[in-house]
Amino acid sequence: MSEDFIKHFTVEGSTSILPDAAYWLSREELILTYLHQRNANVPKVSIKNLTQKSIAMENVGQSLSVQFKENKNQFNTTQVAILITNSIEALIEIFNLGILHLDIALRNIATPQGASNRIYILDFVHCLSTTNRLQKPLPLLPTDGLHHPMLYQALKKDWSNYFFSLNQSQPVLDHTLTLSNEEFIEYWSDSISVQNLSSQLAILCHGIGNLLEEVSWLSNSTDEHNQIYRELSKKLRNLNEDEAKNALNQALSQLNRLILNAAPDKSFLDLSTPIPTVRNYERNVNATPQKKTETIIARISKGSLILIPWRSLNTKYIQLIWWTVLILNGSWINLVVEAGTIKLPNWLLSLVLINFIITPIAIGLLLILKNKFSSAVATTAFNFLVLTEFLLINSYPPRVMSTIVLWMPSIFILIFILISYNNFSFKFLQKK
């Protein structure tokens, strides 16, 4: 395996594979860098070459579509189930980081050295980002059945708006569609319909359903497993948003049971991503279209991920909410101590002073870093501050303790955040 993988956005360095290749190259590089910074195990981009329209990054091996076809006997039923389950969990994790993959297929998933359980998600050209908003139509051809109905309608609307802006009648949106690269480069829009779907779990669910259908035909799994993949595929497609979370959790549970408890050879299907052909030509000049698709390697972090209702929030911000509650509770305790002229022992004052020093450090590590060390330090500092506040309340004299409203709410708050924060931190460390 070579050290770097080069993704080219041109054919022989000239003809664009995608319309306005420089735009999609820059956008994809930004998304990969963002995911790498968030410890999503994507490959670190080493070189972005706008002149040659290419990105160099870590090489993570061949796609599953190639490996299942050429090395089918190397993957038994259990290994296939593990790889696909890890892939689904990785896609969910990426979705929780604000990136919705729209081209979920075996050709866009790789695993190094054949039978490794570690997987990598490929190709982030066809994706949506909650922060990196689209300013051009997504280069996908709306395909009934392959795309979720919401995505299908949004793609059609974006292409309709594009051709309307050019004062052109809309052509048929199929593989015959050919775009002028020059016209596409000049087109910019602040109202891309597809962008509004970036937080739709139902669309991710539909794409995973497509993946399971593909696995049932291309993998070396038993007939029983393949039938289960097909049944799960039907349950995951064409759902609404309310149904999607439940269906996805149930599918993951069933796949995990397959792994714990633990094929007709179909011709290799043409499952290439439906995208328009791009021509580099001046308006009204005929040229022979060229078409080619490429994939990009994107590493993901393995391990289980549970769907959470606050998926759009960063985990560090969730932890900061508990820190804020704890600090506000400490401010109330300080107010009671001052108003009641309570004299604290020297050792307890020393604990308070230590907290004044380590609390800003812990919060700073939480904001700057996102790894086991920073999370462990922040959790230790959090528990130490909780202990200090308990000791401060315990030091209240009888005249203060006789007024329950001065101390009982603080006790309840400390117990609640102590349990909830540590439970959250434990799950977060498990994922790491």
Side-chain angles (χ1 to χ4, degrees), residues 166-202:
L166 299 177
N167 294 318
Q168 298 177 11
S169 59
Q170 180 175 310
V172 178
L173 299 175
D174 60 16
H175 66 280
T176 63
L177 176 63
T178 300
L179 303 175
S180 163
N181 199 44
E182 290 74 19
E183 290 175 342
F184 197 89
I185 287 174
E186 294 174 3
Y187 179 80
W188 297 91
S189 175
D190 293 326
S191 57
I192 300 296
S193 299
V194 171
Q195 180 61 46
N196 299 327
L197 305 177
S198 58
S199 298
Q200 293 292 320
L201 181 64

